[in-house]
């Protein structure tokens, strides 16, 4: 979180909301936080699957945080998911 605060002052995307600790810790340092998750019960800002392209999120963020998500992705799909994560960055 110190690295995020020191390097990112713009818009942050968190993929996989978990218990919300990333958002709570990052909010004082960044302009905005957006959360994307596949689970509607977690009430993300954006309901979406990292396996699918998300055109509305492309080139909108200065940083992307994705924790405890990629281990749930089948290995064969990792390159596509990493490309999607990269596409979210400005």
């Amino acid at each position: 979180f110190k690295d995020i605060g020191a390097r990112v002052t713009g818009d942050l995307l968190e993929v996989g909301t978990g218990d919300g600790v990333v958002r709570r810790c990052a909010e004082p340092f960044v302009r905005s936080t957006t959360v994307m998750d596949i689970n509607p019960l977690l009430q993300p800002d954006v309901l979406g699957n990292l396996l699918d392209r998300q055109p509305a999120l492309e080139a909108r963020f200065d940083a992307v945080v994705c924790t405890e998500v990629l281990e749930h992705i089948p290995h064969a799909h990792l390159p596509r998911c990493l490309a999607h994560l990269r596409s979210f960055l400005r």
Side-chain angles (χ1 to χ4, degrees), residues 20-89:
V21 69
V22 171
R23 179 178 232 168
R24 286 191 309 275
C25 291
E27 278 184 333
F29 303 103
V30 298
R31 178 177 42 232
S32 72
T33 59
T34 301
V35 175
M36 181 181 105
D37 203 288
I38 194 170
N39 186 344
L41 297 176
L42 297 174
Q43 301 178 335
D45 302 312
V46 177
L47 183 63
N49 188 333
L50 192 53
L51 291 169
D52 302 325
R53 189 170 165 245
Q54 304 292 325
L57 299 179
E58 291 177 0
R60 281 193 44 206
F61 300 95
D62 299 300
V64 176
V65 175
C66 181
T67 60
E68 300 187 42
V69 171
L70 296 177
E71 67 266 25
H72 301 287
I73 304 292
H75 189 265
H77 298 296
L78 281 176
R80 178 173 38 157
C81 291
L82 293 173
H84 290 159
L85 289 170
R86 189 172 192 280
S87 77
F88 302 148
L89 295 170

